[in-house]
Amino acid sequence: MKKMLLLLLTIGLLQGCTSGTDSPSTPTEQQKPPVAAKPETPASEPPATTQPPTTPEKPPTDQPAQQETVYANDIFRNVTVKKTAQDTFEIKGQARVFEAVLNYVVEDGHNELAQGFVQATTAAPDWGDFTHTLKVKKAEPNTTLTLILFETSMKDGSRRMELIIPLPE
C-alpha cells in the first residue's frame, strides 16, 4: 500500500512538472536572441579619415619606457619609487600610520645601508600623503637594494606592517 501511494505521488509530481509549461518547444519571436546588424564597412578595412590624428607622436628615445610599479598593503597605498639620479630615489605614496610617522630601512640583503623616518600629511585613521628623496649607495656592486617601509609599534618598538620594495637599478 505504501509503495503504491509513493508511486502515485511520484507520477503526480512528474506530471505537474511537465504539464505546467504553456510555452511551445520552439521559441517564439519574442524569445529569440537579437541578431547583430552587419557593419557598414568590412572589418578588414580601416575607417576613412579626412584629418590626421590630433595627438602628436612622441619622439623616439634611446631609453626604454619604464613602467612604474605601485606597492600597497594595509597601511600603505599608491607607493611608487622612481630613480631620479645615480644613488638617488624619489618615494611617493600614502600612509595610514600612528602620528603620521612612517619609518624606512634600506638594505642590501646583508647590511642596513640607510634608515630614517618620514612625516605624512595626516595621521591614522586618515590617509596622509608623503614624499621623500632618498640617497643611498650600494656597499657591494652586485647587490640589490631593498626599501622597507614600516610603522614602529608603540607597544614594543617592533616593525609593524612592513612593505618591501626593491629599488630600481
Side-chain angles (χ1 to χ4, degrees), residues 14-32:
L14 290 174
Q15 282 182 344
C17 289
T18 59
S19 65
T21 59
D22 294 334
S23 63
S25 60
T26 59
T28 62
E29 285 298 317
Q30 295 174 351
Q31 295 174 335
K32 288 183 182 178

Side-chain angles (χ1 to χ4, degrees), residues 115-169:
Q115 62 182 358
F117 67 92
V118 179
Q119 189 79 32
T121 57
T122 307
D126 296 326
W127 289 97
D129 297 326
F130 67 90
T131 302
H132 183 66
T133 301
L134 177 66
K135 293 184 181 192
V136 62
K137 187 173 175 92
K138 289 184 179 184
E140 299 293 325
N142 293 330
T143 58
T144 300
L145 297 180
T146 304
L147 170 68
I148 303 171
L149 298 176
F150 60 94
E151 178 183 47
T152 301
S153 170
M154 294 296 112
K155 182 178 178 181
D156 59 6
S158 64
R159 293 182 184 180
R160 200 172 100 51
M161 299 300 298
E162 289 184 340
L163 181 63
I164 300 170
I165 304 169
L167 292 178
E169 292 293 323

Side-chain angles (χ1 to χ4, degrees), residues 40-75:
E40 293 177 14
T41 59
S44 62
E45 293 179 21
T49 58
T50 57
Q51 298 177 353
T54 56
T55 57
E57 292 185 21
K58 292 182 180 178
T61 60
D62 296 335
Q63 297 176 351
Q66 292 181 356
Q67 178 131 0
E68 210 170 66
T69 305
V70 178
Y71 299 91
N73 65 11
D74 289 344
I75 64 170

